[in-house]
Structures are given as C-alpha cells and as structure tokens.
Amino acid sequence: MISSASVLSLLLSATLATAAIVEPATFASTSFDFIVAGGGTAGTAVAARLSEIGNWTVGLIEAGEYRPDDENILVPQGWNTAPTWGNPTYDWGFNTVPQPNLADRSINIVRGRVLGGSSALNLMGIFLAGATEYDQLEQLGNEGWNYNNTLKYFKKATNMSVAPEYLQIGEHATFNPQYHGNSGPIHASFSSWFSEAMPPLYNAMVNLGFTPVQDGGDGQDAGDVWSPPLSINQDTKTRSYSAIEYYGRNADRPNFHVLTGAQVTKIELSSTPDNNGNLRATGVTYVSGGQTYTASVSKDVVVSGGSIQSPHMLELSGIGNKTILESVGIESKIDLPAVGENYQDHLVNYEQFIVPHSIETWDVMFNPGVQNDTVWQEYLVNKTGPYTSSVNVISYQTASHVTQNDSLLLDWLAELDAQFNASNPSPGRRAMYNIERQRLLPSSQQASVEVYAAPFHAYANDFELNTSYIQISSVPSHPFSRGSIHVNSSDPLNYPRIDLNAWAFDIDRHMMTASAKYCRVIADTDPLKPIIQEYSFPGPNVTTDTEWEQFVAENVMTPFHPCCTNAMLPKDAGGVVDSHLTVYGTANVRVVDVSILPLQLGTHLMGTTYAIAEQAADIIKADYGAA
Ligand SMILES: Cc1cc2nc3c(=O)[nH]c(=O)nc-3n(C[C@H](O)[C@H](O)[C@H](O)COP(=O)(O)OP(=O)(O)OC[C@H]3O[C@@H](n4cnc5c(N)ncnc54)[C@H](O)[C@@H]3O)c2cc1C
Ligand SMILES: *[C@@H]1O[C@H](CO)[C@@H](O)[C@H](O)[C@H]1NC(C)=O
Ligand SMILES: *[C@@H]1O[C@H](CO)[C@@H](O)[C@H](O)[C@H]1NC(C)=O
Ligand SMILES: *[C@@H]1O[C@H](CO)[C@@H](O)[C@H](O)[C@H]1NC(C)=O
Ligand SMILES: *[C@@H]1O[C@H](CO)[C@@H](O)[C@H](O)[C@H]1NC(C)=O
Ligand SMILES: *[C@@H]1O[C@H](CO)[C@@H](O)[C@H](O)[C@H]1NC(C)=O
Ligand SMILES: *[C@@H]1O[C@H](CO)[C@@H](O)[C@H](O)[C@H]1NC(C)=O
Ligand SMILES: *[C@@H]1O[C@H](CO)[C@@H](O)[C@H](O)[C@H]1NC(C)=O
Ligand SMILES: *[C@@H]1O[C@H](CO)[C@@H](O)[C@H](O)[C@H]1NC(C)=O
Ligand SMILES: *[C@@H]1O[C@H](CO)[C@@H](O)[C@H](O)[C@H]1NC(C)=O
Ligand SMILES: *[C@@H]1O[C@H](CO)[C@@H](O)[C@H](O)[C@H]1NC(C)=O
Ligand SMILES: *[C@@H]1O[C@H](CO)[C@@H](O)[C@H](O)[C@H]1NC(C)=O
C-alpha cells in the first residue's frame, strides 16, 4: 500500500512555498493599505492581485484555516462523497428558514470555511455563462461589466490543459483556446475518468436535439451538450483552488499578510461624513481565540465573505435597512435597505437511475473494502480512475425545448405577469424582470434550464451498496423569486436569517417540474434507455404533474449558488454597490464576491467569481492610480 500522505506531499511540494500566516495581534498592529474581509474564492484572489503593488500592504482575514496539504480538499471527488461537506472544519453549514413551498424544509447551504472558501470544496466545474448574460449586467447600468471583460478576466485567472486524445475522441473532452486562459493561476482540465454510462447519456441528449460542440463555454447560450472543464491540475490530478494558487504561490511576498482563524465582526466607520457625504472605513474588527482586535486601514476595506456573509458583515457594521438593524439593537450608520435583499439561488432536482452493475460508477467509492481500495490505489499510483473526476456531462436548454409546449409557456407567462404586477415592483426590479422574462418566450434562444449528469447515486439515504447508479439533474437557470438574508442578532457570531422565499412566483415551480419531467425523457431516450434498469428515485409511480410537483417540492436541494445579496446596480434601482463595487454611502468599502451580481446567471458561479475578483483588482488599482 502506498501512503496517501507521502504521495500527495510529493505532488504538492513543487508548487507551494511555506506559508507565512501571521498572528492576530501582529496583524492588528500592522498599518494596512487594504484589508480584505473573507479569504474565499474571490477574497484570496483579489488580495493576491492587490499585493502585486509592492508598496501596498495588504491584509486578508479568513475565519477558517489554511490547509494546503489536506487530501480531503485536494483529491477531486464528485458530489457528496466529499468528506468536507457538513464537516465544521470546512463548512459553515448554513440552513435556510423552513420554506413553505418546499414542504416546509430548511435547505442546507454548504459554504467553505477555510482559506480558499467554497473553491476548496466545490464540484470544480469552471466555465462562464452565455455572453448575453454578462452584457445584460452592463445594460442594467454597470459600465464595464460585460462579456468581453468577463472573458478577459476569466482567461487571466485560468490555465486550461489539453486532454489526452482518447478523452477528446471518446468523451468530448475538447475546448476552444479562444475561451480559456493558458497562463493564469487556476489550473483547469477535464475529468480523467468517465463512466461507461456517460457516452450513452451524452448521445441520448444529442438525439433529443442538443448539439455536440467543441466548447460549451464559447459564449453561446443554449442548445449545446459538452463535457465541462474542471479546476483540476492535470499534472497532479489534485484540486486547483484559490488558496493554494493565489496565496500559496505568493506567500513569500512581504506585503501580503494573511490571518486565518479570525472572524470579522465589524467594519469600523468614521463618525462623520467626508465632503461627499460618505463615511470612511478606518479599520476592521475581528475575533480570534476569543479575543477581539482591530486592524487599521488607509485605503479600502474589501468585503469578500460570499453571498451569505458579506451582507451580514455590512449589517453588523451599521450598513443596511435601519428598521431591521435597530430591531436587533445595531446602531444604523448608513440606511441602505437593499443590503441582503435580492437573494437568489438555483434549486436542483436530482433523479437517480440504476444501471447494470457491470458499469463502474463512483458508487464503488462507497463500497468499503476491496472496491474502494482498488480505485483509491488506482488514484495514488496511476492518477487515474473515479477519484480523478467530477460532473461529466452538462448542457443548457431553452424553456421552449424543455416544456415542449409553447402554449403552456405562454399561459405561464400570463400568470407570471399578473403575479409580478401584483407584487408592486420597483422600477429597478422591473428592469431585471424584463430581462428574465424574455428568456421564457417561445422564440428565445437563451438558456432557461441546465441539465447535468454524473455517474453516481444522488440520495444519501436512498441507495443500495454494490449497485451502479447515474444521476440526471436539472436546474432552472433564472429564478424569479427573491429571498433575503438579514442579521438576526447583534451577536456577530450568530448566523444570519436566510430566507430563500422559494417559489414565491409559481413560474419557478412550473419550470422545476417541467425540468424534472424532462430528465426522465432523457432516461427514456436511446441509447441511454437500454441501460436504465430501474427508475430508482423517484420511482416509476411518479408520473402525473401533481406527483412530479410533490416530488420536487419534497426533494429539491440547492447546487450552492447563492448570489445577488449586494447587488451592483444604480442606488435607486436597488443597488448596494456601484460599478466600482463601492458600497453606497461609504468612501472606501467595496464588496468583491458573487453577492454583487444583480441577476442569477445560467451557470455555476466559480468561473464568474474569479473573473469578478480579477476585474475588481484592476478597478481598484486604477482608482488608486496604480494600473
Ligand atoms: C459544495 C459546493 C459545490 C459547488 N460546485 C460548483 C461547481 O462545480 N462549479 C462552480 O462554478 N461553482 C460551484 N459552486 C459555487 C462556487 O464555489 C461559489 O459560487 C464561489 O466559490 C463563491 O465564491 P465567493 O468568493 O463569493 O465566496 P466563498 O468562496 O464562499 O468565500 C467566502 C469566504 O469568506 C469567509 N468568511 C465569511 N464571513 C467571514 C467573516 N465574518 N470573517 C472572516 N471570514 C469570513 C468564509 O469562510 C469563506 O472563506 C459550488 C459551491 C459549493 C459550496
Ligand atoms: C509606490 O510605488 C509606485 C511605483 O514604484 C510609485 O509610483 C509610488 O509613488 C509609490 N507610492 C508610495 C506611497 O510609496
Ligand atoms: C466585444 O468585443 C467584440 C470583438 O472585439 C466587439 O465586436 C463587441 O462590440 C464587444 N462588445 C461589447 C459589449 O463591448
Ligand atoms: C499551465 O499549466 C500547464 C499544465 O499544468 C503548466 O505546465 C504550465 O506551466 C502552466 N503555465 C503557467 C504560466 O502557469
Ligand atoms: C426595511 O425592513 C422593514 C422590516 O422588515 C420592512 O418593512 C421595510 O419595507 C424595509 N424597507 C425597505 C425600504 O425595504
Ligand atoms: C475509501 O477510501 C478512502 C481512502 O482510503 C477513504 O478515505 C474512504 O473513507 C473510503 N470510503 C469508504 C466508504 O470506505
Ligand atoms: C496502474 O496502471 C497499470 C498499467 O495500466 C496497471 O497495470 C496497474 O494495475 C495500475 N495500478 C493500479 C494500482 O491500479
Ligand atoms: C399544452 O398546454 C396546453 C395548455 O396551454 C394544454 O391544453 C395542452 O394539452 C398541452 N399540450 C400537450 C401536448 O401537452
Ligand atoms: C403589468 O404591468 C406592465 C407595466 O405596467 C404592463 O405593461 C402589463 O400590461 C401588465 N401586465 C399584466 C398582466 O397586468
Ligand atoms: C456485488 O455484485 C456482484 C455482481 O453484481 C456480485 O458478484 C457480488 O457478490 C456482490 N457483492 C456483494 C458484497 O453483495
Ligand atoms: C433568530 O433569533 C431568534 C431570537 O433570538 C431565535 O429564536 C431564532 O432561532 C433565530 N433564527 C435564526 C434563523 O437564526
Ligand atoms: C411511490 O412509491 C414510493 C415507494 O413505495 C412511495 O414512498 C411514494 O410515496 C410513492 N409516490 C407516489 C406519488 O405514489
């Protein structure tokens, strides 16, 4: 048996410098130009880019630890085999309040609590949404936030590797270099192992009208089927993520100070406004080891706590809806009621099917003993096998294709218009609505539903050992409902109140139900159909619309794409930050993470998160004349 720790440390020693993580008191006595609050996917990236300016002193504060040689993070693993999810060493473990439309369930939200944030424990898909989605951000009043720039900064962040020829031919592991970086810090490549169940699934989707393309990340919106790039270093077959690539490689910079195991509790603001009527951030307060410290800052505080905690940090600092803040005893400093509003997340429906046991799937990892040991040795010795892969097949489709009934779609739109008008929307909300609404039109070529697939069971409590499964999952891409995330206590260590407000508009339920039915259509299509031995979950007894509606209400989860809680929009349209990512009413507090998106995107958010961080770094450098 080869020891896993020794192999992994060999794999890693080439790239990682010894990290200089500082003590909390030392950090507090340092005079910073910039402090980044939250060392996640975006925060670590933006801090690293700011520290390229040698005479700027940059501090990064992360609640979790730096774990560069932790195999639970490094070994690519798909779906819920990941030992990090639900584990408090890595995951904050948030839950929504019970959702009345989801059978009163609280929905679990996995969030990274480690240097690198959610990039340390996500499923590693790394790509962008269609070009129109980014251009729509600019149309909403955000100059410079368009596809061209997003692509430029996505490329700056990434380094994509060509797959071996047999995977290009057999598994569609291909890409167009025009749409991927080749020298950025984050490595990307394809799964190195595909289950035999995947080509039939891919070809069933082709038979349903999806177009096989060289690169699904080519800016086209819908209609493609492809094998997605993953943030895996092709040389080492380990996860490439924000902490090791943006920090680990730059840990020797004397001006880059990283404090881990410290939770930011407050941004300190000046008591009087500047000449423009804005408050200035003077420092950041944090708790570490039960002690409270404050570090001072001369330029900006960059809030990068992610979509759940960035609004929370602002509210704890007195920036938010005055009524809500005062109701829990927090002094209001800037009355900005849009903070924590506009919360959107995808919901995902998983369907689980049994395939012949002769087909190897990730389920072998769940069989203790021989099978699991075999694939683990395969990973350690040959860097091959199930432990080198994640999501295998992905596609986006139009509403018209998935519902297969334009008259029904028009009925839903009429119902939606009436419900939306009755909600008394603000002009800003209506502008976003109009963008989302036109996607549903029968004539639209834009993505409304994602379908992705993996060779694995989907339900942790509903599978048999020694059985091979595939899962086909569907995600309506653009929810109309809006939830909120707000402070629930003046104690900064208490979690905020997270209300997804799922399916407040019936269209979201309709689209989920239609998407769920569509996954079974895929399973019933050749050449996949002959290898489907059983509809496992849901079983064959779920067939009518009512049964599907009940099934999705009782079972949907999130693929962990919370966003939009500090929307970048004009202030009077419901904005929290302007297009330089500065919080309204402040001179120097910015937000840099996916909470700044005004609209949910039809994609998984990591690629966009890195692009946001890269673009933000250039904006900040330019604002201080350092570009
Ligand atoms: C399980 C999972 C699977 C996913 N799969 C994919 C995928 O396959 N592809 C894809 O594109 N996207 C995926 N995503 C989504 C993607 O990972 C996230 O959208 C993205 O990483 C968010 O980055 P962020 O910088 O906004 O937040 P995060 O990366 O979550 O960073 C926030 C950081 O701030 C820290 N923090 C928060 N509050 C404080 C505080 N008060 N003080 C100090 N530190 C604080 C947190 O500990 C964390 O490190 C997945 C997400 C999860 C959770
Ligand atoms: C920082 O370095 C730049 C480039 O070397 C220089 O132009 C600038 O004056 C320096 N700023 C300070 C505050 O030293
Ligand atoms: C993006 O770039 C292309 C090609 O350079 C150009 O034709 C297009 O106008 C640009 N779009 C925007 C919104 O700037
Ligand atoms: C890009 O990735 C390849 C493959 O891992 C590596 O050989 C190369 O050095 C990387 N390029 C840069 C600039 O990091
Ligand atoms: C602020 O919060 C209160 C209490 O939840 C709510 O009634 C009010 O509408 C909010 N204000 C704005 C402008 O959203
Ligand atoms: C499979 O093997 C890995 C590596 O030894 C181990 O961490 C994991 O717990 C095993 N899983 C099961 C279900 O035995
Ligand atoms: C590694 O690959 C070789 C060549 O294909 C094979 O013979 C060997 O059994 C593999 N080792 C493991 C541990 O899977
Ligand atoms: C399409 O939807 C309409 C409702 O608008 C319904 O009456 C009709 O039966 C549906 N057609 C099919 C084939 O399901
Ligand atoms: C909803 O409001 C818009 C804008 O006022 C109007 O154009 C539209 O006709 C209304 N639709 C319905 C169904 O009420
Ligand atoms: C697993 O399945 C295989 C064939 O399907 C069978 O030979 C084997 O005995 C099974 N093992 C267990 C532990 O059930
Ligand atoms: C909010 O605070 C109340 C009162 O302290 C508590 O009962 C409730 O559980 C909290 N809710 C959440 C979602 O944390
Ligand atoms: C289908 O069968 C399962 C298992 O017997 C049962 O739990 C479920 O309630 C049934 N669903 C419907 C819609 O009949």
Side-chain angles (χ1 to χ4, degrees):
M1 277 274 192
I2 299 222
S3 135
S4 55
S6 63
V7 171
L8 285 169
S9 60
L10 262 175
L11 294 176
L12 288 164
S13 54
T15 48
L16 291 181
T18 311
I21 302 275
V22 302
E23 292 301 317
T26 314
F27 193 93
S29 63
T30 307
S31 294
F32 288 105
D33 291 281
F34 294 90
I35 294 178
V36 179
T41 315
T44 309
V46 73
R49 289 299 184 192
L50 293 175
S51 74
E52 289 172 345
I53 308 296
N55 56 11
W56 282 353
T57 304
V58 178
L60 174 64
I61 307 178
E62 166 56 38
E65 299 297 338
Y66 182 44
R67 311 181 66 87
D69 47 14
D70 185 334
E71 79 181 30
N72 286 340
I73 293 174
L74 291 169
V75 178
Q77 294 178 63
W79 187 218
N80 58 9
T81 47
T84 48
W85 300 13
N87 178 339
T89 301
Y90 308 90
D91 177 8
W92 289 90
F94 292 114
N95 290 293
T96 69
V97 296
Q99 298 294 294
N101 291 329
L102 304 182
D104 269 329
R105 291 178 301 136
S106 287
I107 305 298
N108 176 242
I109 305 171
V110 175
R111 285 282 91 188
R113 184 182 194 271
V114 59
L115 195 68
S118 297
S119 72
L121 40 98
N122 69 14
L123 290 176
M124 303 171 295
I126 186 160
F127 38 83
L128 296 178
T132 48
E133 305 219 20
Y134 300 100
D135 288 339
Q136 285 162 348
L137 302 182
E138 188 162 58
Q139 287 156 23
L140 287 167
N142 300 306
E143 197 191 340
W145 292 89
N146 50 40
Y147 178 63
N148 285 0
N149 276 333
T150 303
L151 179 61
K152 172 174 125 187
Y153 287 111
F154 174 72
K155 290 172 77 167
K156 186 173 183 185
T158 53
N159 177 2
M160 183 71 191
S161 292
V162 178
E165 205 171 328
Y166 76 96
L167 293 178
Q168 294 182 36
I169 294 165
E171 308 290 350
H172 311 277
T174 57
F175 69 97
N176 180 342
Q178 197 183 332
Y179 301 103
H180 299 269
N182 56 24
S183 55
I186 300 295
H187 288 274
S189 61
F190 294 94
S191 274
S192 300
W193 178 89
F194 290 77
S195 169
E196 278 171 41
M198 288 298 118
L201 191 145
Y202 189 101
N203 290 325
M205 292 175 79
V206 172
N207 285 339
L208 283 168
F210 291 82
T211 309
V213 286
Q214 179 199 19
D215 190 333
D218 63 358
Q220 294 301 309
D221 219 304
D224 301 342
V225 57
W226 39 291
S227 173
L230 306 167
S231 51
I232 294 176
N233 181 326
Q234 177 145 286
D235 301 332
T236 56
K237 297 291 191 288
T238 50
R239 177 192 297 268
S240 178
Y241 71 107
S242 198
I244 59 172
E245 309 295 12
Y246 279 101
Y247 174 59
R249 294 173 184 226
N250 300 311
D252 55 354
R253 285 184 190 159
N255 63 328
F256 189 6
H257 304 256
V258 175
L259 173 65
T260 59
Q263 187 164 341
V264 172
T265 53
K266 196 178 183 190
I267 302 153
E268 300 297 334
L269 296 168
S270 61
S271 48
T272 50
D274 66 11
N275 293 338
N276 299 318
N278 295 321
L279 298 185
R280 267 199 85 74
T282 57
V284 166
T285 295
Y286 54 91
V287 174
S288 178
Q291 297 258 53
T292 301
Y293 306 84
T294 298
S296 65
V297 72
S298 60
K299 292 191 174 67
D300 292 357
V301 170
V302 176
V303 178
S304 297
S307 299
I308 310 283
Q309 288 153 297
S310 283
H312 193 213
M313 277 191 254
L314 293 180
E315 291 188 339
L316 289 167
S317 311
I319 306 170
N321 179 327
K322 189 174 197 287
T323 313
I324 294 174
L325 267 46
E326 288 178 349
S327 75
V328 298
I330 293 172
E331 183 195 347
S332 167
K333 302 233 172 101
I334 298 170
D335 188 13
L336 189 60
V339 173
E341 294 293 323
N342 196 45
Y343 169 37
Q344 297 159 59
D345 201 348
H346 291 135
L347 287 169
V348 54
N349 170 66
Y350 290 100
E351 278 161 55
Q352 167 176 301
F353 303 90
I354 296 179
V355 297
H357 193 47
S358 55
I359 294 179
E360 190 173 55
T361 60
W362 294 341
D363 297 287
V364 294
M365 298 184 219
F366 255 61
N367 281 349
V370 178
Q371 283 196 306
N372 182 42
D373 288 349
T374 304
V375 292
W376 182 241
Q377 286 300 309
E378 206 183 335
Y379 176 73
L380 293 178
V381 177
N382 288 339
K383 298 185 210 162
T384 55
Y387 276 101
T388 63
S389 71
S390 185
V391 169
N392 284 177
V393 175
I394 201 164
S395 72
Y396 288 86
Q397 204 40 274
T398 62
S400 177
H401 180 88
V402 170
T403 57
Q404 302 183 329
N405 186 339
D406 288 349
S407 131
L408 186 61
L409 207 46
L410 292 171
D411 290 350
W412 290 347
L413 274 166
E415 176 194 61
L416 175 62
D417 286 338
Q419 288 182 356
F420 183 73
N421 283 4
S423 73
N424 192 23
S426 66
R429 177 77 171 83
R430 191 175 285 280
M432 293 198 276
Y433 176 80
N434 290 339
I435 285 176
E436 285 193 298
R437 183 192 186 279
Q438 47 85 27
R439 288 179 179 280
L440 293 180
L441 295 171
S443 58
S444 170
Q445 296 304 307
Q446 294 179 31
S448 280
V449 174
E450 174 187 0
V451 173
Y452 65 92
F456 195 43
H457 67 265
Y459 288 91
N461 300 321
D462 211 317
F463 74 101
E464 303 288 333
L465 288 178
N466 203 19
T467 305
S468 295
Y469 294 90
I470 61 167
Q471 51 175 268
I472 308 180
S473 326
S474 52
V475 183
S477 310
H478 302 88
F480 284 82
S481 305
R482 297 289 184 268
S484 63
I485 298 177
H486 288 298
V487 67
N488 186 49
S489 156
S490 60
D491 180 344
L493 303 184
N494 282 355
Y495 283 2
R497 182 178 190 279
I498 304 169
D499 185 359
L500 188 54
N501 195 25
W503 300 352
F505 291 110
D506 287 327
I507 188 73
D508 292 337
R509 178 206 323 270
H510 297 323
M511 287 304 293
M512 180 57 88
T513 307
S515 309
K517 288 164 65 179
Y518 187 76
C519 291
R520 182 165 297 165
V521 172
I522 296 170
D524 286 344
T525 300
D526 282 339
L528 182 60
K529 187 179 167 64
I531 65 163
I532 300 291
Q533 291 190 329
E534 192 180 317
Y535 301 151
S536 163
F537 199 77
N541 60 349
V542 172
T543 55
T544 66
D545 281 1
T546 314
E547 287 160 355
W548 277 112
E549 281 203 6
Q550 185 185 344
F551 178 78
V552 294
E554 289 175 352
N555 292 289
V556 293
M557 307 178 214
T558 123
F560 315 116
H561 302 158
C563 72
C564 311
T565 47
N566 291 310
M568 172 173 63
L569 284 171
K571 188 179 177 197
D572 60 12
V576 173
V577 298
D578 64 20
S579 61
H580 286 223
L581 307 183
T582 304
V583 176
Y584 291 112
T586 77
N588 61 336
V589 178
R590 309 210 200 210
V591 180
V592 178
D593 57 34
V594 275
S595 69
I596 63 134
L597 289 173
L599 281 174
Q600 181 60 286
L601 301 171
T603 186
H604 301 242
L605 297 176
M606 172 165 57
T608 304
T609 307
Y610 283 125
I612 288 171
E614 292 282 5
Q615 185 164 353
D618 272 7
I619 289 172
I620 295 169
K621 287 175 178 176
D623 283 352
Y624 285 97

